[in-house]
Amino acid sequence: MMAAHDPSAAPAGGAVKPQEPDPVLVAIADYALQREIDSELAYRTARWVLMDSLAAAFYALAYPECTKLLGPTVPGTVVPHGVKVPGTPYVLDPVEGAFNITALIRWLDYNDTFLAKEWGHPSDNLGAILAVADHVSRVRRSRGEAPYTVRDVLTMAIKAHEIQGVLSLENSLNRFGFDHVHFVKVASAAVATVLLGGGRDEVINALSNAWIDGAALRTYRHFPNTGSRKSWAAADAVSRAVRLALFAVKGEMGYPTALSAPRWGFEDVVLRGEKVVLARPLGSYVMENVLFKIAYPAEFHGQTAVEAALKLHPQVKDRLEEIDRIVIETQEPAIRIIDKKGPLTNPADRDHSLQYMTAVALIYGELTYQHYEEPIAADPRIDALREKMVVVENEQYSRDYLDPDKRSIANAVQVFFRDGTATEKVAVEYPLGHRRRRDEALPLLHEKVRGALREVFPARRAERLFHLLAEDPALPEMPVDRFMDELHRP
């Protein structure tokens, strides 16, 4: 009886011809290694991203659910040339350091965002970039060699943003139930390998292993399982990326057709036959157009709804019992991600509910992370308003969301009362952190950074660090290890 043919088996007779790497792997590797970034706007924005991400990290230090995950895997571990985790006394290996830094940056859902067919937070990659750059700089200094500078960090941040963001433009993981942090892993694997001194082959090998890992399920982001893993999923991705980068520079093999291999490749297994594409040449587009979460710690598709609700707060705060219904017009992605009815069981659930964040803004006239926790979350008025909300898609908002010249994230809110009267419909097309509102947002970014530093450091040191981050023209030339020393808290 003849054996069944295995289409994945090597052809019979003779050596197998070496396979050429998938073009997407080559394009990402060549960009990460060779592309010169000449956009001053990108570098200026990258510095704001660094400031903003560290602010988010420092605010997260106040939350025990986050800090319990920090530190070495084995308490008391001593790491030569270790990574200093900002705002903490920890000195860690680069894999654990990457996890710690990104967990802090990501915990409060308060770092930058890029929205397309896939969604994500490109500054999640900073955990890998800072950890590897710090570690390598300390090793280099011990050998009498020059360390990396903060400008090198900014360059790698621009490149990681671009890799993750351009992958997000036309490749939707969420449509198949997978999480966007897979693209974080891919981007971090590329830049971490470069920072470790890897060449083209090593970067391609690390990238292929990152793709082969597959993508995490979005289970932890959606009812009925929404939970705190969504706050450390990116940290898990960057730590894995650093590990794969370390393997690659040690000579571990890669898999040239990790994406395209029939039946077994990422495209067939995860994307069900769809091809991974780079929608535009890799440059600095994503960093230049990234969205900042400056005003409210809430999922970005609902930011403009919160702003609209805050404008309506004076008109409704004394008439909450008279409300008949609240209509929210939004884009299709918001309906898919944050249109949540029924019980919300934890802060991670609440900060991804369009209705919850809108109700809080209408009632309280503000929205902070404390509004997602007890005792405020037990306020019966919040659920009472949620039950009166009708969420509908505005098709123009959905079109403008994907328009590369607009990239709007629009919402409109209108409140109707039982006596037949109504507020005006308040529509907000672009959130405060959008490129079109940069001038308006920058003072708020400075306030966010100052406030975060004061939460962690004594006043005089906080002000000195604010000057370093926001104002010092010499920051880009500062050695990375000295920069991390400044942010450490023994």
Side-chain angles (χ1 to χ4, degrees):
M1 187 177 196
M2 293 182 64
H5 174 63
D6 182 353
S8 67
V16 178
K17 182 181 178 181
Q19 293 176 303
E20 291 297 317
D22 288 322
V24 168
L25 301 181
V26 173
I28 293 173
D30 287 345
Y31 168 76
L33 276 165
Q34 301 171 6
R35 176 63 185 263
E36 294 291 329
I37 304 298
D38 56 9
S39 167
E40 284 308 309
L41 173 59
Y43 276 107
R44 188 163 65 249
T45 309
R47 182 165 177 169
W48 297 335
V49 164
L50 179 62
M51 293 163 49
D52 180 70
S53 302
L54 289 170
F58 292 141
Y59 278 124
L61 286 166
Y63 293 88
E65 288 301 301
C66 176
T67 56
K68 74 182 183 185
L69 302 178
L70 305 183
T73 302
V74 178
T77 301
V78 176
V79 181
H81 314 304
V83 176
K84 292 189 174 180
V85 179
T88 80
Y90 297 126
V91 180
L92 306 172
D93 69 80
V95 173
E96 200 63 58
F99 180 95
N100 276 239
I101 296 169
T102 291
L104 286 167
I105 289 171
R106 189 73 199 94
W107 194 264
L108 296 179
D109 200 3
Y110 208 13
N111 59 323
D112 70 11
T113 300
F114 187 76
L115 305 176
K117 286 190 176 178
E118 189 52 65
W119 320 295
H121 307 271
S123 56
D124 292 346
N125 294 287
L126 275 171
I129 295 166
L130 287 171
V132 174
D134 188 20
H135 172 66
V136 173
S137 293
R138 295 181 193 280
V139 171
R140 285 183 175 182
R141 192 179 290 277
S142 74
R143 297 171 177 168
E145 301 168 359
Y148 284 119
T149 66
V150 171
R151 185 174 178 86
D152 295 319
V153 167
L154 300 181
T155 300
M156 288 299 127
I158 293 167
K159 291 186 174 185
H161 271 61
E162 190 75 357
I163 295 166
Q164 181 182 342
V166 171
L167 283 170
S168 299
L169 287 174
E170 290 295 336
N171 305 288
S172 176
L173 296 174
N174 65 79
R175 197 156 55 87
F176 300 103
F178 296 103
D179 197 18
H180 67 264
V181 298
H182 183 69
F183 290 160
V184 176
K185 187 194 305 182
V186 170
S188 283
V191 296
T193 308
V194 173
L195 287 168
L196 288 165
R200 190 171 189 257
D201 288 345
E202 288 77 20
V203 177
I204 290 173
N205 290 347
L207 282 168
S208 70
N209 274 293
W211 284 104
I212 281 175
D213 270 0
L217 303 181
R218 287 184 61 88
T219 310
Y220 44 80
R221 298 190 188 276
H222 296 279
F223 178 85
N225 292 297
T226 310
S228 56
R229 180 167 176 165
K230 75 180 184 64
S231 296
W232 58 261
D236 192 47
V238 299
S239 64
R240 178 66 175 170
V242 173
R243 183 180 296 279
L244 294 175
L246 288 164
F247 284 174
V249 297
K250 290 178 180 178
E252 177 58 23
M253 68 178 289
Y255 303 87
T257 58
L259 295 173
S260 65
R263 185 176 179 185
W264 308 113
F266 186 89
E267 293 170 337
D268 276 2
V269 174
V270 175
L271 299 185
R272 302 174 195 174
E274 290 192 7
K275 300 299 181 185
V276 174
V277 298
L278 296 174
R280 57 180 294 130
L282 296 168
S284 56
Y285 170 83
V286 176
M287 182 61 80
E288 291 167 3
N289 290 278
V290 78
L291 302 162
F292 289 93
K293 281 189 181 178
I294 293 174
Y296 327 111
E299 207 281 338
F300 218 101
H301 292 88
Q303 293 267 319
T304 52
V306 173
E307 188 172 348
L310 292 175
K311 292 179 179 179
L312 291 174
H313 167 72
Q315 301 176 49
V316 304
K317 63 184 176 66
D318 297 323
R319 301 185 65 187
L320 297 175
E321 298 297 325
E322 302 172 36
I323 293 175
D324 177 63
R325 71 187 187 282
I326 301 165
V327 177
I328 304 174
E329 294 182 21
T330 193
Q331 352 83 37
E332 185 276 336
I335 292 175
R336 205 157 12 124
I337 307 166
I338 56 173
D339 176 11
K340 288 187 178 180
K341 303 173 179 67
L344 301 172
T345 59
N346 56 59
D349 216 3
R350 298 171 193 127
D351 73 13
H352 272 55
S353 167
L354 177 62
Q355 292 91 331
Y356 187 95
M357 62 181 77
T358 304
V360 167
L362 288 170
I363 295 167
Y364 289 93
E366 61 176 352
L367 179 64
T368 69
Y369 199 78
Q370 285 74 26
H371 289 101
Y372 299 122
E373 299 188 317
E374 306 291 346
I376 294 175
D379 184 341
R381 297 177 300 173
I382 297 174
D383 281 347
L385 288 194
R386 287 178 60 222
E387 291 175 3
K388 296 177 180 180
M389 290 182 179
V390 179
V391 177
V392 296
E393 180 186 0
N394 182 311
E395 293 184 357
Q396 186 62 50
Y397 292 174
S398 296
R399 287 192 291 272
D400 291 347
Y401 175 90
L402 292 173
D403 185 333
D405 295 323
K406 290 186 174 182
R407 294 285 177 204
S408 67
I409 311 101
N411 280 279
V413 180
Q414 188 170 19
V415 179
F416 296 84
F417 299 100
R418 287 198 295 267
D419 63 5
T421 62
T423 68
E424 72 272 28
K425 180 169 73 173
V426 176
V428 181
E429 190 171 4
Y430 298 98
L432 266 171
H434 196 279
R435 181 175 176 176
R436 296 193 182 203
R437 296 179 70 183
R438 285 280 194 267
D439 291 344
E440 185 182 353
L442 279 176
L444 295 175
L445 174 58
H446 282 194
E447 288 179 21
K448 176 180 176 180
V449 174
R450 259 201 175 99
L453 289 167
R454 288 171 179 166
E455 291 284 325
V456 177
F457 301 102
R460 186 173 297 177
R461 184 177 176 191
E463 194 57 32
R464 178 167 57 81
L465 287 172
F466 175 80
H467 170 72
L468 174 65
L469 290 168
E471 300 167 343
D472 190 344
L475 175 66
E477 307 315 314
M478 187 176 189
V480 172
D481 54 338
R482 298 297 183 246
F483 176 68
M484 298 296 275
D485 287 343
E486 287 289 324
L487 300 173
H488 201 231
R489 193 180 67 178

